[in-house]
Amino acid sequence: MFVLLCFQSGPASLTTEDLSTNANGPKQASLFDDDPDDLFAEATEEVSLDSPDRDVLLSDGPSPAITPMTPPTSVITPRIGHAHDDMFTHSSFDEFCCVLWLNVVFLVPGDGMNAYMAYKVTTKTSMSLFKLREFSVRRRFSDFLGLHSKLASKYLHIGYIVPPAPEKSIVGMTKVKVGKEDQSSNEFVEKRRSALERYLMRTVKHPILLKDPDVLQFLESSELPRAVSTQALSSAGLLRMVNKAADAVNKMTIKMNESDAWFEEKQQHFENLDVQLRKLHASVESLVLHRKELSMNMASFAKSAAMLGNSEDHTALSRALSQLAEVEEKIDQLQQDQANADFYFLSELLGDYVRLITAVKGVFDQRMKTWQKWQDSQMMLQKKREAEAKLQFNNKPDKLQQAKDEIKELEMKVQQGERDFEQISKTIRKEVGRFEKERVKDFKSTVIQYLETLLQTQQQMIKYWEAFLPEAKAIS
Amino acid sequence: MVVIPAFCLNCCSRQLIQQFLGTVLLLYCFRCVRSIIRSVSVDLNNDASLLIDIPDALCERDKVKFTVHTKTTLSSFQKPEFSVPRQHEDFIWLHDTLVETEDYAGLIIPPAPPKPDFEGPREKMHKLGEGEATMTKEEYTKMKQELEAEYLAVFKKTVQVHEIFLQRLSSHPILNKDRNFQIFLEYDQDLSVRRKNAKEMFGGFFKNMVKSADEVLISGVKEVDDFFEQEKTFLLDYYSKIKDSTAKAEKMTRSHKNIADDYIRISATLNITMSFVSLQKVEGRVASDQELKLTELLRYYMRDIQAAKDLLYRRARALADYENSNKALDKARLKSKDIPQAEEHQQQCLQKFDKLSESGKKELTSFKGRRVVAFRKNLIEMAELEIKHAKVRSSIQLYYICFIMCTNELQYAWGICKILCEQI
């Protein structure tokens, strides 16, 4: 017999909805000021892909898979306890989050490459930030890119993890513009739509970013100035590329004395995560491809089996073979749907996180840059002080005053540098904690959804084969 | 060839298993291997007077040595129970001598078992050897498991196919009395000497004749009998259809394997421990075995239909010979020369043709019955297996959904989810 629901763990109704995104509002400050370190520590323990605990849990010896693997109860209770605290410390769970979704409207006609795809962004919210409860606007792809670049320029350098926007695809978009009404261009449009939707949702889930005026404008105002600088071949685009290259070089030359073990550990953690997610992503992409292949092969087999059934002269066997062909065809359709689920749930999720991890690493780099700036101004201050001492020795009163002024300026700069560094470190700690929690939630809900699709596929397969069985038995 | 003891994964009995070039290979004892796969044709081994099976087989680099075990109550054999080692080439020799025997021209000779093809596992082994330095420990273990499973699958198939060949012979009322068949079963020395002699004698002449005369003959000759006319049309058409279906089924199986391989790689990335995976792999392998049932069924009957076609060719040739002998007789009568020889020759041809037609009819009728029964059995078994596996999988999935929802052990659950997918 099958073993289901073998444990009654605490609040079993703790669905993903309960742990949904936190609202923002005045109470938000409490979340970010004095980190209850447990919340974040818990998040990190859960999510390290190579935690040694996991192996212990998994190697339950040669018992068959169906034996209930009850996790140690010590694992369950404290976490759920924390989760509860979660909800209350996050204040208002009566002020629910902002939910939005995207619909593709249509291809706005224009001559040749000037045509563009318009997306309808609908927002539903109960937050006082917005003027209305439900509203929609029309946006195009470059608008999304423009939003991202604005947010990045404002928040990246102070340590906020800004979700990256979906990538441009000249090839894909060209096909759509040319007007090819085929499978691949439909898929491309759907892929882009869902990617944009996920991007916006992630941006909006960030408590700070949500309140940014650019975001609000993006969601609310009907007219939006064209973001020209996002064009790939524009001067701004080239500048971006140059800056990226310069950054890469700089990163290699900065040698930071890491005094905080937390940062070192976290950076290593994200490096490992990056490698694993990339590998996983590649494997899942290969899986999607193979499943599509399987579905094609099943379809061609079904046709062949039908022909075989036709040429079979024993009537009952002939009928059974035709039935077999039908079953295989239906299952092939199932496999195709499953391939889509594989893709949209797993592959895209993994792809998103690969890009997100890059953004996280970028934030760490920003911290290094800030540190460098602070160090630089400190060194300058040192030099100036030495110069001042020299001047005093040589008794040059007018230059001395200038030097003293410069020193005062530099001292302030150094203080500011230190403050900036501390601020960015603090922000990153919070951000990483929030990011990890979000990631766990994201993965968890996606995995559950994916498992549900698998389950459905299996149930359907059972139905089809059970319908076929009497036909096979009827062969006399 | 080192043989080391280990436990069978299925029945946990202590069985001898083999080492394939340093890797511990078989995960099951041989009994369990055979019980996992079923015979493609009907239960052939039910006549107690002559029971044949292949209880064991060894694999050396290129050659497979089968142990052919016979249990009999017939007095024509020296002992009531005995075993001999045989190679694949011995089976081929037996098949060819039966085909070349004139007396059996009116019978469907069971198709020869195909040569054991370890190309796939061998390739994998190469890749494993070459990539050992660059792979992580997990990936290496995974690939080794893949290799073992594939090797096991090929091994099971080849033993099954050789066994069926012998069992078809033992259940045929005429063929099971063949002298060469008896030698094959009983002769406790090496058959290679006999094999060489046979080659020199026949030189495959008869077989070549069949191959080349083929379609021209069978379509050119005017059929006198309705039954054979229908059979000819049916078999020709059916053969091309089943050939196509076999190819498509093979493609399907390969796609399934690709997906299973992907999941192996995915679970390698997630560092899932071995014991857990090998359990799931048992499930996985059995699940893909059912696909093999379909493919193997089609493949076997494709070959069997070819054998039936061969029978038709032989009969068609006999008919052509008879017609030629008639023409020769007429010519002889015109020329008034060698009439008695021509008459005798014509009589012989007629007799041969009649004999072939009579036994051919019996053979083809029983062939149809055999085919229908085998398809029925395999289709039922395949459907039942599909249902069983789908039920097990969906219950596991349901279990894990609840599990994930109740805990925060996400990575664990993520890994499980991947393993589950290996089942599909």
Side-chain angles (χ1 to χ4, degrees):
Chain A
M1 229 11 248
F2 308 134
V3 183
L4 300 178
L5 305 174
C6 52
F7 31 72
Q8 270 81 67
S9 40
S13 57
L14 205 66
T15 58
T16 42
E17 279 74 64
D18 294 339
L19 304 175
S20 64
T21 45
N22 321 313
N24 317 280
K27 301 232 190 102
Q28 179 244 325
S30 66
L31 170 64
F32 288 120
D33 273 357
D34 314 311
D35 324 325
D37 258 354
D38 324 1
L39 260 181
F40 302 134
E42 154 201 307
T44 49
E45 249 163 70
E46 283 169 15
V47 306
S48 87
L49 267 176
D50 33 32
S51 88
D53 308 325
R54 205 174 10 90
D55 276 359
V56 172
L57 284 168
L58 283 177
S59 54
D60 263 15
S63 44
I66 300 188
T67 338
M69 287 197 190
T70 30
T73 40
S74 59
V75 162
I76 298 186
T77 9
R79 287 204 175 131
I80 295 197
H82 270 298
H84 263 306
D85 291 345
D86 220 347
M87 272 162 57
F88 294 118
T89 38
H90 286 4
S91 68
S92 24
F93 63 134
D94 47 333
E95 221 187 302
F96 79 93
C97 64
C98 156
V99 171
L100 49 79
W101 60 91
L102 247 79
N103 289 321
V104 176
V105 183
F106 46 76
L107 192 58
V108 173
D111 28 316
M113 299 310 287
N114 289 338
Y116 64 88
M117 187 67 80
Y119 301 93
K120 180 172 162 200
V121 181
T122 312
T123 316
K124 202 165 164 187
T125 178
S126 72
M127 291 171 59
S128 45
L129 271 177
F130 297 95
K131 302 190 198 92
L132 302 166
R133 294 230 149 210
E134 187 167 342
F135 46 89
S136 19
V137 291
R138 285 228 187 110
R139 293 286 176 256
R140 52 186 291 187
F141 187 67
S142 53
D143 294 337
F144 290 83
L145 295 182
L147 176 67
H148 169 72
S149 81
K150 282 196 206 134
L151 292 177
S153 63
K154 279 201 258 183
Y155 292 101
L156 256 185
H157 67 272
I158 48 176
Y160 286 101
I161 302 173
V162 178
E167 281 159 2
K168 283 173 117 59
S169 165
I170 304 180
V171 175
M173 211 45 207
T174 311
K175 278 217 285 212
V176 176
K177 286 183 184 172
V178 164
K180 282 180 77 185
E181 263 300 321
D182 71 336
Q183 182 71 4
S184 65
S185 53
N186 286 342
E187 277 177 16
F188 174 77
V189 170
E190 176 52 34
K191 184 174 163 185
R192 177 162 276 198
R193 184 208 66 83
S194 92
L196 289 173
E197 195 177 81
R198 287 195 308 272
Y199 162 66
L200 264 191
M201 275 304 284
R202 287 214 178 88
T203 309
V204 159
K205 277 200 193 140
H206 194 299
I208 304 284
L209 293 180
L210 174 56
K211 286 148 77 187
D212 182 278
D214 280 321
V215 171
L216 296 176
Q217 186 193 36
F218 183 91
L219 291 177
E220 273 186 319
S221 65
S222 45
E223 285 300 317
L224 205 65
R226 257 305 282 290
V228 204
S229 65
T230 57
Q231 279 162 357
L233 299 176
S234 69
S235 55
L238 290 172
L239 192 65
R240 257 200 305 278
M241 278 199 285
V242 169
N243 280 340
K244 256 200 203 150
D247 276 350
V249 173
N250 279 342
K251 196 166 125 180
M252 290 193 284
T253 54
I254 294 180
K255 270 283 173 178
M256 180 165 166
N257 301 333
E258 190 53 79
S259 51
D260 196 337
W262 186 90
F263 281 94
E264 218 175 292
E265 184 197 317
K266 280 296 155 194
Q267 275 188 287
Q268 191 54 47
H269 164 71
F270 282 113
E271 280 296 326
N272 296 341
L273 203 55
D274 192 23
V275 166
Q276 278 187 298
L277 284 180
R278 276 178 205 270
K279 259 203 229 165
L280 209 53
H281 188 219
S283 306
V284 173
E285 283 194 319
S286 151
L287 174 70
V288 173
L289 206 67
H290 285 145
R291 206 187 275 286
K292 289 213 167 113
E293 244 177 51
L294 174 67
S295 145
M296 253 182 5
N297 288 339
M298 273 194 151
S300 81
F301 173 75
K303 283 201 197 87
S304 176
M307 297 217 337
L308 187 66
N310 279 342
S311 100
E312 171 65 60
D313 58 354
H314 187 273
T315 21
L317 180 55
S318 163
R319 193 175 42 240
L321 284 173
S322 313
Q323 286 295 97
L324 178 69
E326 263 185 52
V327 169
E328 294 284 346
E329 203 179 307
K330 287 194 207 141
I331 294 187
D332 128 56
Q333 192 52 48
L334 271 185
Q335 293 286 13
Q336 221 173 38
D337 295 341
Q338 183 61 52
N340 283 332
D342 284 350
F343 178 70
Y344 281 109
F345 287 126
L346 297 181
S347 180
E348 290 283 88
L349 174 75
L350 289 169
D352 283 351
Y353 271 93
V354 166
R355 282 199 301 278
L356 270 169
I357 301 268
T358 314
V360 173
K361 293 209 287 192
V363 147
F364 279 98
D365 293 341
Q366 288 294 336
R367 179 172 169 269
M368 278 214 288
K369 271 165 94 172
T370 312
W371 181 84
Q372 189 65 44
K373 240 169 101 177
W374 174 31
Q375 294 304 312
D376 286 346
S377 20
Q378 253 190 341
M379 280 208 295
M380 280 273 280
L381 180 62
Q382 189 73 8
K383 278 209 194 110
K384 285 288 174 196
R385 283 207 172 119
E386 285 171 5
E388 186 211 17
K390 260 207 215 141
L391 285 177
Q392 210 150 38
F393 189 66
N394 294 336
N395 205 13
K396 298 245 173 85
D398 48 339
K399 285 221 180 115
L400 198 63
Q401 187 53 39
Q402 188 189 24
K404 279 208 191 329
D405 289 337
E406 281 177 356
I407 286 180
K408 227 184 223 108
E409 230 181 276
L410 273 175
E411 277 176 350
M412 277 181 28
K413 222 171 160 192
V414 165
Q415 277 180 3
Q416 184 61 36
E418 186 172 2
R419 268 202 303 271
D420 284 346
F421 180 71
E422 273 172 15
Q423 185 58 39
I424 199 177
S425 301
K426 201 158 150 196
T427 309
I428 290 182
R429 275 181 188 263
K430 280 186 227 152
E431 281 288 286
V432 164
R434 193 191 60 86
F435 175 80
E436 292 287 76
K437 270 184 50 210
E438 271 304 311
R439 180 166 74 85
V440 172
K441 262 195 302 214
D442 221 347
F443 270 67
K444 179 162 158 167
S445 74
T446 307
V447 163
I448 290 184
Q449 275 179 300
Y450 180 64
L451 273 178
E452 283 173 352
T453 68
L454 282 183
L455 191 61
Q456 252 181 337
T457 307
Q458 291 307 298
Q459 308 280 44
Q460 267 307 102
M461 272 175 74
I462 293 176
K463 283 208 192 87
Y464 291 151
W465 285 111
E466 281 184 336
F468 172 72
L469 197 54
E471 282 292 331
K473 291 196 168 146
I475 305 172
S476 60
Chain B
M1 226 14 238
V2 182
V3 171
I4 64 169
F7 292 100
C8 166
L9 260 189
N10 192 35
C11 64
C12 296
S13 61
R14 222 187 147 79
Q15 293 289 328
L16 295 179
I17 64 173
Q18 299 155 5
Q19 242 184 356
F20 182 57
L21 296 172
T23 326
V24 171
L25 202 53
L26 296 177
L27 305 167
Y28 313 100
C29 66
F30 215 78
R31 228 127 259 122
C32 293
V33 163
R34 285 171 64 242
S35 65
I36 286 173
I37 54 168
R38 313 264 176 81
S39 157
V40 167
S41 70
V42 215
D43 234 335
L44 291 171
N45 237 13
N46 43 18
D47 180 8
S49 64
L50 184 61
L51 294 170
I52 307 179
D53 71 318
I54 300 184
D56 204 355
L58 285 181
C59 181
E60 283 158 13
R61 271 203 176 268
D62 266 6
K63 300 212 173 290
V64 184
K65 271 211 170 69
F66 305 94
T67 306
V68 179
H69 168 252
T70 314
K71 224 161 140 176
T72 178
T73 56
L74 298 173
S75 51
S76 48
F77 291 92
Q78 288 171 4
K79 287 186 280 198
E81 185 167 355
F82 46 88
S83 288
V84 291
R86 289 288 176 252
Q87 290 182 3
H88 169 72
E89 286 73 18
D90 299 331
F91 287 77
I92 300 300
W93 164 80
L94 180 59
H95 174 260
D96 290 351
T97 48
L98 293 175
V99 167
E100 316 261 343
T101 310
E102 273 289 326
D103 282 344
Y104 303 145
L107 308 176
I108 297 179
I109 311 290
K115 194 165 154 87
D117 179 20
F118 288 99
E119 196 47 53
R122 199 169 293 134
E123 241 183 74
K124 262 208 165 80
M125 197 156 63
H126 257 277
K127 265 202 255 171
L128 200 66
E130 284 173 8
E132 186 171 356
T134 55
M135 284 192 250
T136 65
K137 183 162 159 280
E138 290 78 24
E139 281 175 357
Y140 183 75
T141 326
K142 288 283 161 184
M143 266 201 92
K144 218 171 80 166
Q145 281 182 310
E146 264 178 63
L147 171 66
E148 286 171 13
E150 209 173 303
Y151 175 79
L152 184 73
V154 173
F155 199 62
K156 285 189 312 201
K157 246 191 334 190
T158 195
V159 167
Q160 175 188 314
V161 149
H162 284 77
E163 198 179 62
I164 287 172
F165 172 70
L166 294 179
Q167 289 174 343
R168 277 281 295 276
L169 289 177
S170 72
S171 58
H172 194 287
I174 299 176
L175 290 173
N176 64 6
K177 298 190 180 51
D178 181 80
R179 177 77 194 126
N180 284 313
F181 183 46
Q182 190 174 347
I183 292 173
F184 178 93
L185 292 175
E186 226 181 6
Y187 190 60
D188 56 0
Q189 307 287 325
D190 202 350
L191 283 179
S192 51
V193 176
R194 282 186 175 260
R195 280 194 272 131
K196 281 205 208 95
N197 292 344
K199 260 221 175 92
E200 281 156 16
M201 270 179 59
F202 297 118
F205 171 69
F206 201 81
K207 250 186 13 191
N208 290 337
M209 263 222 62
V210 175
K211 291 279 160 47
S212 55
D214 222 278
E215 297 291 306
V216 178
L217 200 62
I218 205 169
S219 42
V221 163
K222 215 173 66 174
E223 191 47 71
V224 295
D225 189 336
D226 257 350
F227 173 81
F228 284 100
E229 181 61 42
Q230 275 180 336
E231 282 298 306
K232 185 173 77 174
T233 326
F234 168 69
L235 283 178
L236 283 178
D237 178 45
Y238 200 74
Y239 181 72
S240 68
K241 299 271 163 52
I242 204 173
K243 194 162 166 200
D244 183 58
S245 292
T246 309
K248 302 262 162 66
E250 282 174 349
K251 268 176 127 171
M252 237 183 12
T253 315
R254 223 170 300 140
S255 286
H256 265 288
K257 256 180 45 157
N258 283 341
I259 290 184
D261 288 348
D262 280 330
Y263 280 125
I264 291 175
R265 234 162 283 136
I266 288 172
S267 53
T269 314
L270 292 173
N271 296 341
I272 308 300
T273 56
M274 274 271 286
S275 59
F276 198 101
V277 171
S278 61
L279 289 169
Q280 297 294 337
K281 284 216 75 158
V282 168
E283 238 272 62
R285 279 307 139 185
V286 175
S288 68
D289 278 346
Q290 57 77 26
E291 182 94 40
L292 274 173
K293 270 168 118 41
L294 179 65
T295 319
E296 275 308 295
L297 173 74
L298 293 173
R299 223 181 262 140
Y300 184 78
Y301 275 95
M302 187 176 81
R303 287 198 294 266
D304 221 1
I305 288 175
Q306 182 62 50
K309 272 164 74 186
D310 290 346
L311 168 60
L312 288 180
Y313 304 153
R314 291 196 288 268
R315 182 178 165 277
R317 190 180 311 109
L319 182 57
D321 286 346
Y322 173 59
E323 287 182 352
N324 288 340
S325 74
N326 269 338
K327 290 197 197 117
L329 183 59
D330 289 342
K331 234 198 277 183
R333 283 195 178 135
L334 274 175
K335 287 200 198 149
S336 299
K337 208 169 102 165
D338 294 326
I339 294 181
Q341 291 101 310
E343 274 179 349
E344 211 196 304
H345 180 62
Q346 191 239 35
Q347 276 309 304
Q348 275 179 341
C349 286
L350 182 60
Q351 267 176 359
K352 178 164 166 208
F353 175 68
D354 280 340
K355 183 168 151 225
L356 280 189
S357 297
E358 192 189 317
S359 86
K361 204 175 237 169
K362 255 191 281 181
E363 287 280 302
L364 288 169
T365 314
S366 76
F367 169 66
K368 187 187 305 276
R370 219 179 34 235
R371 188 180 78 244
V372 171
V373 173
F375 266 75
R376 177 179 191 275
K377 179 169 184 269
N378 277 271
L379 288 178
I380 291 177
E381 281 173 1
M382 186 176 80
E384 285 174 344
L385 269 178
E386 289 271 9
I387 293 172
K388 172 176 149 227
H389 289 307
K391 280 191 174 152
V392 171
R393 282 183 226 137
S394 56
S395 75
I396 293 180
Q397 283 156 7
L398 200 56
Y399 172 85
Y400 284 123
I401 288 177
C402 301
F403 183 62
I404 294 171
M405 288 174 79
C406 296
T407 75
N408 277 318
E409 276 302 306
L410 181 71
Q411 292 331 85
Y412 178 28
W414 179 240
I416 304 289
C417 155
K418 284 289 132 205
I419 292 168
L420 293 179
C421 306
E422 240 184 76
Q423 313 313 309
I424 301 179

